[in-house]
Amino acid sequence: MRTSLLLFAMFFMVCINAFAQERNFDFPELSGPYLGQKPPGLSAEVFSSEIISTVEGREMCSAFTENAKEFYFNAIYDGTFSIFVTKEIDGKWTKPLPLHFSSAFIDRDFTISPDGRRIFFGSNRPRNKGESSLESLDIFFIQRKESGEWSNPVNLGPPVNSDFGENYPSVAANGNLYFFSCRQDGWGGCDLYLAPYEHKNYQEPILLNGNINSKMHDWDGYIAPDESYLIFSSKDRSDTLGTQDLYVSFKKEDNSWTKAKNLGIAVNSAYDEICPSITLDGKYLFFTSRRRGKEDIYWVSSKVIEELKPSELLSKD
């Protein structure tokens, strides 16, 4: 299990294609919310087809900031995974460019904190200056400066990071961090963990229970800002529609979790679905699917989640 995340990352590195080179195409003029794209309904659609989600490229995790003026996404750049950003400036969206630090190492599987002040991501970059790149992935973060620019990456350190690899961090409004790791204390394969945030420090990670984790691989967990639900990807479950599907589990009043439900055909397909996130206005679910033969970014109305909410929780609203 110790090298599972590294092998997973290396798989994509050998899949380099035309998008691995700098994107020198003429970026079209885009204006309006969500890069001027028509919002989807209750059936998933490719996001920004042939502009962000291209035929030749591999585009993955994605997120808008809290004011929806910046859009971040993962893609292969210069032979490795980088985090790109496009910004709405004077009503127009800029050509996507990689963040200033993101080119020499694998930087992937990121989410943005609900206040927009931090980006958490998985990386194999060295933990300390002068050291070699990691054999597995650690969780890092960058902090928004007063100038609006991003800081250099900071390793989150123990007890979150370990020698078994950690990835796909997602943080709630109270600071609680959800992520997956392939540690030996899990249910089988990779599993989802919670690192409580107390007294401005992350506490020892807690393995989530069997209503969420399984004997299969469970990863890519996105936590709602209020921790009311967790969306995650799981591999080869008995009710899967493909290889990897997206599931949702809701938190009850006693802080226990409901048994995870498959998000169904509105989201999942016969192919892989990974990298879920919800826009900070709560309106849309973004995720990655391989249904076009490689990774693309998709979006769908977040109402597909509400429709799966247990009736006993709906009555509490």
Side-chain angles (χ1 to χ4, degrees), residues 304-316:
V304 298
I305 300 168
E306 190 69 16
E307 290 180 349
L308 293 175
K309 199 170 186 179
S311 57
E312 64 269 24
L313 297 182
L314 286 172
S315 63
K316 303 295 182 180

Side-chain angles (χ1 to χ4, degrees), residues 7-210:
L7 293 174
F8 188 62
M10 289 177 63
F11 169 78
F12 292 104
M13 289 188 68
V14 301
C15 296
I16 298 168
N17 48 42
F19 195 72
Q21 302 164 12
E22 187 168 357
R23 303 181 75 184
N24 291 318
F25 67 94
D26 292 327
F27 192 69
E29 186 173 285
L30 301 175
S31 61
Y34 302 104
L35 282 76
Q37 305 304 296
K38 181 182 178 181
L42 296 176
S43 183
E45 300 176 11
V46 179
F47 177 72
S48 190
S49 182
E50 309 322 318
I51 299 173
I52 298 298
S53 297
T54 61
V55 170
E56 70 278 2
R58 310 183 88 93
E59 301 84 21
M60 299 184 65
C61 302
S62 58
F64 282 89
T65 50
E66 76 282 4
N67 60 8
K69 298 294 186 181
E70 298 176 2
F71 178 67
Y72 295 80
F73 64 98
N74 268 139
I76 295 175
Y77 177 80
D78 235 4
T80 189
F81 270 98
S82 295
I83 302 173
F84 283 77
V85 62
T86 173
K87 302 179 181 181
E88 187 182 24
I89 299 177
D90 296 329
K92 307 296 181 184
W93 288 92
T94 62
K95 177 182 176 179
L97 293 173
L99 295 182
H100 70 279
F101 63 86
S102 190
S103 61
F105 303 99
I106 297 172
D107 294 324
R108 54 171 300 160
D109 288 12
F110 72 91
T111 57
I112 300 177
S113 63
D115 62 5
R117 304 301 300 173
R118 286 187 174 186
I119 293 178
F120 294 81
F121 63 99
S123 180
N124 73 333
R125 60 182 51 246
R127 290 175 176 168
N128 300 294
K129 187 175 181 180
E131 295 180 353
S132 300
S133 57
L134 299 173
E135 293 185 0
S136 59
L137 303 183
D138 265 6
I139 293 174
F140 290 75
F141 72 88
I142 53 176
Q143 182 82 33
R144 180 88 74 173
K145 301 178 182 178
E146 291 300 322
S147 64
E149 300 300 315
W150 292 105
S151 70
N152 289 322
V154 177
N155 189 293
L156 208 55
V160 172
N161 289 322
S162 72
D163 291 335
F164 294 97
E166 287 71 37
N167 201 12
Y168 211 92
S170 181
V171 65
N174 62 9
N176 286 346
L177 181 74
Y178 291 73
F179 64 95
F180 81 82
S181 181
C182 301
R183 304 179 185 195
Q184 294 178 328
D185 66 346
W187 292 80
C190 299
D191 294 287
L192 291 157
Y193 290 79
L194 158 65
Y197 189 66
E198 299 174 0
H199 310 297
K200 297 184 178 181
N201 287 293
Y202 286 106
Q203 307 303 306
E204 192 68 32
I206 300 168
L207 176 67
L208 297 182
N209 68 27

Side-chain angles (χ1 to χ4, degrees), residues 40 44-45 222 231 246 263 267 275-279 282-287 298-305:
E45 300 176 11
Y222 170 83
I231 304 172
L246 294 181
L263 282 181
V267 174
C275 298
S277 68
I278 299 290
T279 53
K283 292 181 178 180
Y284 305 106
L285 164 63
F286 275 72
F287 64 97
Y298 283 73
W299 62 331
V300 67
S301 170
S302 61
K303 291 180 181 178
V304 298
I305 300 168

